[in-house]
Amino acid sequence: MRKWIFLSKRIAAILVFVGVMCTISLSAKAGDFDPDFYAAQYPDVVAAYGTNPNALYSHYLTFGVNEHRYKNREDMIAAQNGQQISQDVPSTYVDVDIDNQTMNYYVDGVSVLSSAVVTGNTQNGNGTPRGVFFIDSKIPGKYLVGPTWNVWVNRWMRFTGAVGLHDASWRSEFGGDIYTYNGSHGCVNLPSDVANTLYDMVSVGTMVVVH
């Protein structure tokens, strides 16, 4: 119970700065979280965030836990019968801190991989989107193509739209304020060795918190 309280407070403290919830089409990777029940039980959440499973799960993580909302019907019934229920708060996720230009991969609440990064260029309006997302694609090598770029990356981990975590072999420096004037087109640029390691550690469905 103490472990859950610590983890929920930690995630809530991170996500309180996150305004927009995720909009990708994956089913929420949430253990016994029931998005259909959550939507039916809490129409106020649906009115604000819609019915996307990931958006509902993100609301549950960010606000629902602390508001004592139920993640499924079984928990609601158990609570009504005076039984203690457990909260399904993930402690394994990728954390991207835009202000500090860092990436940490947490496993069971402990950072096992940390690195400086370069996120989206804020000077030209390409800032990396903030929110709660889930890795929905892993590709060991591909070209990233856009209006003015065509680059090869060895490790691609997409988490929303055309935005993902990937290696950036063309960069000699990471961190600092590079992102404010020479950042990416929205992706999270990683050193090659870090991207290789992270790629082997995460899976499709791993949560990504960008704040």
Side-chain angles (χ1 to χ4, degrees):
M1 185 64 180
R2 290 181 179 177
K3 180 179 179 181
W4 169 78
I5 293 174
F6 170 78
L7 292 174
S8 65
K9 286 183 177 179
R10 178 183 180 87
I11 292 178
I14 292 172
L15 300 186
V16 72
F17 299 103
V18 178
V20 180
M21 297 298 102
C22 62
T23 56
I24 61 177
S25 59
L26 273 178
S27 297
K29 303 297 181 180
D32 56 355
F33 177 80
D34 184 344
D36 293 331
F37 165 82
Y38 202 76
Q41 187 69 21
Y42 305 115
D44 59 319
V45 176
V46 172
Y49 299 106
T51 58
N52 179 278
N54 281 347
L56 296 173
Y57 183 40
S58 297
H59 179 276
Y60 171 73
L61 291 177
T62 311
F63 306 110
V65 170
N66 292 325
E67 293 172 354
H68 306 292
R69 298 182 190 249
Y70 304 111
K71 64 181 181 292
N72 57 43
R73 185 173 303 279
E74 291 74 17
D75 277 6
M76 181 179 70
I77 295 173
Q80 291 172 346
N81 291 331
Q83 300 174 21
Q84 185 174 356
I85 61 174
S86 63
Q87 301 290 348
D88 183 17
V89 179
S91 56
T92 298
Y93 61 98
V94 178
D95 176 90
V96 178
D97 186 333
I98 292 177
D99 292 338
N100 291 310
Q101 290 293 282
T102 58
M103 182 283 302
N104 278 277
Y105 178 50
Y106 289 94
V107 176
D108 295 331
V110 177
S111 176
V112 297
L113 182 65
S114 181
S115 175
V117 300
V118 176
T119 58
N121 190 329
T122 56
Q123 192 174 78
N124 61 14
N126 287 328
T128 301
R130 299 172 189 254
V132 180
F133 310 97
F134 298 84
I135 292 176
D136 66 354
S137 177
K138 285 180 61 184
I139 300 176
K142 67 167 293 180
Y143 283 102
L144 301 181
V145 181
T148 59
W149 66 91
N150 187 337
V151 297
W152 175 265
V153 298
N154 290 311
R155 296 292 183 267
W156 170 246
M157 294 158 276
R158 185 179 69 183
F159 57 80
T160 182
V163 176
L165 301 123
H166 65 78
D167 53 298
S169 59
W170 55 89
R171 292 190 182 277
S172 58
E173 293 183 281
F174 294 83
D177 64 351
I178 298 171
Y179 76 106
T180 62
Y181 59 88
N182 188 28
S184 71
H185 295 95
C187 289
V188 179
N189 289 179
L190 301 165
S192 295
D193 59 335
V194 174
N196 290 341
T197 301
L198 183 64
Y199 185 91
D200 291 339
M201 298 176 81
V202 300
S203 59
V204 170
T206 296
M207 186 166 71
V208 179
V209 178
V210 184
H211 60 98

